[in-house]
Amino acid sequence: MIKKLFLFAILTGFGFILWSVLSDYKSADGLNPISSYYAGEGLEEIGSANIVTAVVVTYRGLDTLGEVSILFLTASILGFFLVSGKGPKIQGRDTSEILKTASRLLEPIIIIFGIYVFVNGHLSPGGGFQGGAILASALILSYLANPEEGLNKSILRITESISGLAFIVIGILGIVYAGGFLDNRIIPVGSIGDLISAGVIPIIYIFVGMKVGAELSSIVTNLKHLPKTDAE
Amino acid sequence: MEANLNIILAIIIGIITLVFGGIAIYHKKLSVAIISAGAVSLMASILFLLLAAPDVAMTEAAIGSGLSVIIFFYALSKIRKQND
């Protein structure tokens, strides 16, 4: 009874807070100044055909760096706790021929699509995070088809460290040679819509894609190589 | 007219999302619950696409309905092995 009363009190409190937010709400009849600046000047200033990318990588590049760091932290904590043991080989049943053949056909296509997504991040929707996740899904497909195989974990670790370091180095180069941290105008912006344009945004996105792909792959690899438990 | 159609489509997708969410919470079999949680993500990504946010839709589809489902299934299989 007291529990229910307590729950009711909490819900009422939440309702009160939400109501006060809702009663203050006025729908905006235009972009606020900073959004209209991004939408108006961003194209000329950054040279990226996809404005979302200009905001994510350059104007709000620090946020992207923070997201990548959070993902790195998650992957390293998982790697710390899920210590892989040299347990006995898993004697699962053999995977089906259809899955094996299909994965041989699809894996290169998925990998190329992932690379396309992050290389074209400044021209079309997509970018480092999405491309990295697609790369990791190609790895998962290969794990599903061939459970015995495993990617060398040190390759993943080295890829991740190098690309994370390169991301930060490019950001610091922006302070030295351009307007500030993660400014993309270290190299010429080029003409809008070309594959090689928008300054260093494509380079940053390649590193972000590699980093995110390596992190997500290492999470899955750690889960896969969990030691066998005593119950078996 | 087109805007109205989009709103109707968005409402339908929202209802489907709610149904999948209910299945994810209340279904007895965990594997069904995981798959329907992935379907919630898929519906959310379609909704993002309707709301003209393709970047977010791609992230949601790749991570929400692809990777996280696989990770949940790995965890589920490990737990089952422990319980047997």
Side-chain angles (χ1 to χ4, degrees):
Chain A
M1 186 62 207
I2 290 175
K3 209 171 165 185
K4 275 186 180 167
L5 215 65
F6 193 58
L7 204 65
F8 183 73
I10 288 178
L11 283 179
T12 322
F14 269 126
F16 181 72
I17 293 168
L18 283 179
W19 173 251
S20 62
V21 170
L22 192 67
S23 56
D24 277 353
Y25 176 75
K26 279 194 279 302
S27 67
D29 45 5
L31 292 174
N32 61 2
I34 192 151
S35 326
S36 59
Y37 177 79
Y38 290 163
E41 311 283 320
L43 193 62
E44 287 299 311
E45 206 172 47
I46 304 299
S48 157
N50 183 7
I51 293 294
V52 176
T53 302
V55 174
V56 165
V57 180
T58 302
Y59 291 126
R60 292 276 177 269
L62 206 61
D63 289 11
T64 308
L65 189 61
E67 283 167 25
V68 172
S69 321
I70 289 169
L71 201 60
F72 169 70
L73 201 66
T74 313
S76 24
I77 289 171
L78 270 173
F80 179 71
F81 280 111
L82 305 178
V83 188
S84 71
K86 285 266 179 280
K89 280 273 180 193
I90 303 166
Q91 287 294 333
R93 73 197 143 133
D94 212 21
T95 49
S96 75
E97 195 60 40
I98 298 171
L99 184 60
K100 278 182 185 165
T101 314
S103 84
R104 271 204 297 276
L105 175 71
L106 284 176
E107 261 171 49
I109 301 174
I110 297 175
I111 288 174
I112 288 173
F113 179 61
I115 292 171
Y116 167 82
V117 165
F118 64 69
V119 168
N120 274 283
H122 57 301
L123 302 177
S124 57
F129 272 91
Q130 293 89 332
I134 292 168
L135 285 188
S137 65
L139 188 83
I140 289 173
L141 184 62
S142 90
Y143 280 166
L144 286 179
N146 311 302
E148 303 293 318
E149 281 179 23
L151 203 65
N152 194 349
K153 263 195 258 177
S154 56
I155 295 175
L156 291 178
R157 217 172 294 149
I158 290 168
T159 315
E160 187 188 342
S161 314
I162 288 177
S163 31
L165 206 64
F167 188 11
I168 294 170
V169 166
I170 290 171
I172 291 170
L173 282 179
I175 300 181
V176 180
Y177 292 108
F181 190 60
L182 284 169
D183 197 325
N184 72 324
R185 286 163 294 178
I186 306 170
I187 54 177
V189 166
S191 60
I192 295 162
D194 281 1
L195 183 60
I196 300 174
S197 67
V200 289
I201 284 180
I203 302 171
I204 289 176
Y205 253 174
I206 287 168
F207 285 127
V208 171
M210 273 161 51
K211 190 168 164 58
V212 171
E215 275 158 357
L216 294 175
S217 308
S218 78
I219 288 174
V220 176
T221 311
N222 277 326
L223 275 171
K224 181 174 162 289
H225 288 299
L226 265 186
K228 310 284 278 182
T229 45
D230 296 330
E232 282 168 282
Chain B
M1 192 60 216
E2 201 181 327
N4 273 336
L5 208 68
N6 267 356
I7 289 170
I8 292 167
L9 205 58
I11 289 170
I12 291 170
I13 288 171
I15 291 168
I16 296 172
T17 312
L18 280 178
V19 170
F20 275 127
I23 292 172
I25 295 171
Y26 290 111
H27 205 280
K28 287 217 169 60
K29 280 187 81 171
L30 275 178
S31 49
V32 177
I34 291 171
I35 290 173
S36 69
V40 169
S41 272
L42 201 64
M43 290 299 144
S45 82
I46 296 171
L47 202 59
F48 290 143
L49 203 61
L50 275 183
L51 298 173
D55 296 74
V56 188
M58 280 178 88
T59 316
E60 183 73 42
I63 292 176
S65 64
L67 275 169
S68 64
V69 169
I70 291 288
I71 288 175
F72 273 133
F73 267 119
Y74 264 120
L76 187 66
S77 77
K78 300 291 172 192
I79 292 167
R80 276 209 184 124
K81 271 177 194 158
Q82 213 162 18
N83 284 346
D84 280 346

